[in-house]
Amino acid sequence: MNDVHLSKLISYALRHAPWEFELEMDAEGWVPVEQLIDALHKENDWKSLTQEDIQRMIDASDKKRFEIVGGRIRAFYGHSIPMKILKIKSEPPEVLYHGTARRFMESIMENGLSPQSRQYVHLSQDIETAHSVGKRHDGKPCILVIDSLKAWNDGIPFYYGNEKVWLADTVPPIYIKNLADSRL
Ligand code: HQG
């Protein structure tokens, strides 16, 4: 049983295409775990999948992507489905980080961060996490420093994802600087 393959499949089902698996998702993104397992049993590689297999994959992962609580499972972040997943507003730390590609910088510094194909902008708790997020787009990513507490105090909502991921609807450019510039 390949955990990476399983994680990607469950990410796809819970973040992007619950209807393909006939999942009934509530406003916070929760799905009955039995319903997900029944749906995955129809897929070739996952005919004997159990809840224990999913829990083991979640526990073994370097990133906290999913949780199972009281017979339900949800993804913490990453959604792109049309129904916007309800997140609770929460005061962010003083600064957050965002790793991105050099080619996006001009647009970001002009327009701010926007969610693109996802529901929320994803921000990182620390520079190392931002660096690995940015690496997915560019071998030499740019790290942005977000003045998150100031933005929050100015009325910009933030939402808790997991202990390393924070979410926002948008982040205006006045709260964003390039870490490389701030180190000069
Ligand atoms: C960029 C992964 C131009 C933004 C990661 C990013 C994360 C703009 C890209 C999570 C822009 C979207 C999300 C603007 C934003 N102009 N580009 N105005 N505003 N962008 O993949 O944050 O492994 O949708 O900088 O680790 O890279 O899947 O978002 O580069 O936590 O669990 O548009 O997904 O987690 O890219 O990553 P993405 P992301 P998992």
Side-chain angles (χ1 to χ4, degrees), residues 15 63 65 77 98 100 107 112 114 116 118 133 136-137:
R15 292 173 173 180
K63 288 188 185 178
R65 294 187 174 94
Y77 59 86
H98 180 84
T100 191
S107 165
S114 55
Q116 309 299 313
R118 300 187 200 258
V133 174
R136 294 159 47 256
H137 302 287

Side-chain angles (χ1 to χ4, degrees), residues 26-110:
D26 78 4
E28 294 176 332
W30 290 105
V31 159
V33 69
E34 276 304 324
Q35 208 175 73
L36 175 68
I37 291 169
D38 286 348
L40 296 185
H41 281 167
K42 294 180 186 137
E43 306 273 317
N44 269 339
D45 293 345
W46 306 108
K47 298 209 179 301
S48 60
L49 184 73
T50 65
Q51 181 167 329
E52 288 67 41
D53 295 327
I54 299 177
Q55 190 64 59
R56 188 183 31 74
M57 175 278 286
I58 293 172
D59 295 342
S61 173
D62 54 331
K63 288 188 185 178
K64 236 180 136 189
R65 294 187 174 94
F66 317 105
E67 67 174 335
I68 296 178
V69 177
R72 300 184 303 168
I73 183 168
R74 70 169 172 175
F76 284 113
Y77 59 86
H79 302 86
S80 69
I81 52 175
M83 178 192 80
K84 192 161 177 183
I85 297 296
L86 188 67
K87 289 279 170 190
I88 308 298
K89 284 182 201 170
S90 181
E91 183 179 302
E94 189 149 0
V95 293
L96 287 166
Y97 301 92
H98 180 84
T100 191
R102 287 167 289 178
R103 66 185 181 282
F104 301 150
M105 284 300 287
E106 195 181 331
S107 165
I108 291 172
M109 292 320 252
E110 191 177 328

